[in-house]
Amino acid sequence: MTQSKKILIADDEPNIVISLEFLMKREGFDVSIAGDGEEAIAKIRSDSPDLVLLDVMMPKKSGFDVCQEVKADPALSSTRILMLTAKGRDTEMAKGLALGADAYMTKPFSTKDLVDQVHQLLGSNA
């Protein structure tokens, strides 16, 4: 049996966390949660997730700051990051991708689109 992929959900909105956690566990992923940017970085360092679902607007450190820090660290830079945000402006998306995010989705998103994107980033089949 192959080990399930690890996903870190970094979001400070409880309802979003609950729905993302349910969705990712249903897909068979091993899920952990971070409620702010500093906790997200700590968990990325300790847990080595395969993918981070990263909210842009978080306390302590924004998703942009987390993304920049992770991608700048050679030990962490291969971590895949899917940024999730209510800020859908093109400038926000460009900023996230410029900082190294692997993909960017705007809330609200369809669960099918999110699951498809996660599988695509992880190279797994839905």
Side-chain angles (χ1 to χ4, degrees):
M1 182 175 146
T2 59
Q3 186 178 3
S4 61
K5 300 272 187 179
K6 291 192 281 188
I7 292 184
L8 172 64
I9 298 168
D11 200 310
D12 62 320
E13 175 54 51
N15 292 336
I16 300 277
V17 170
I18 289 166
S19 60
L20 288 174
E21 182 179 23
F22 172 79
L23 193 61
M24 294 299 111
K25 284 185 174 176
R26 190 181 74 190
E27 289 296 311
F29 296 114
D30 181 12
V31 177
S32 58
I33 310 291
D36 63 57
E38 289 182 0
E39 185 182 2
I41 288 176
K43 287 202 171 183
I44 291 167
R45 290 189 190 288
S46 65
D47 299 352
S48 302
D50 297 292
L51 175 68
V52 181
L53 299 179
L54 182 61
D55 184 30
V56 169
M57 304 294 289
M58 284 193 300
K60 299 187 182 174
K61 280 185 190 240
S62 75
F64 290 134
D65 293 339
V66 171
C67 183
Q68 186 172 22
E69 190 168 328
V70 168
K71 293 298 185 174
D73 184 331
L76 306 176
S77 64
S78 65
T79 304
R80 310 291 283 174
I81 294 178
L82 171 53
M83 295 193 89
L84 304 173
T85 184
K87 291 186 165 198
R89 297 196 316 268
D90 290 343
T91 54
E92 300 288 331
M93 186 178 298
K95 180 177 180 181
L97 295 172
L99 291 173
D102 297 286
Y104 197 101
M105 291 185 80
T106 306
K107 298 174 189 173
F109 41 77
S110 84
T111 54
K112 182 190 182 318
D113 288 347
L114 177 64
V115 167
D116 289 349
Q117 183 70 66
V118 166
H119 282 290
Q120 185 181 340
L121 287 170
L122 293 173
S124 55
N125 296 321

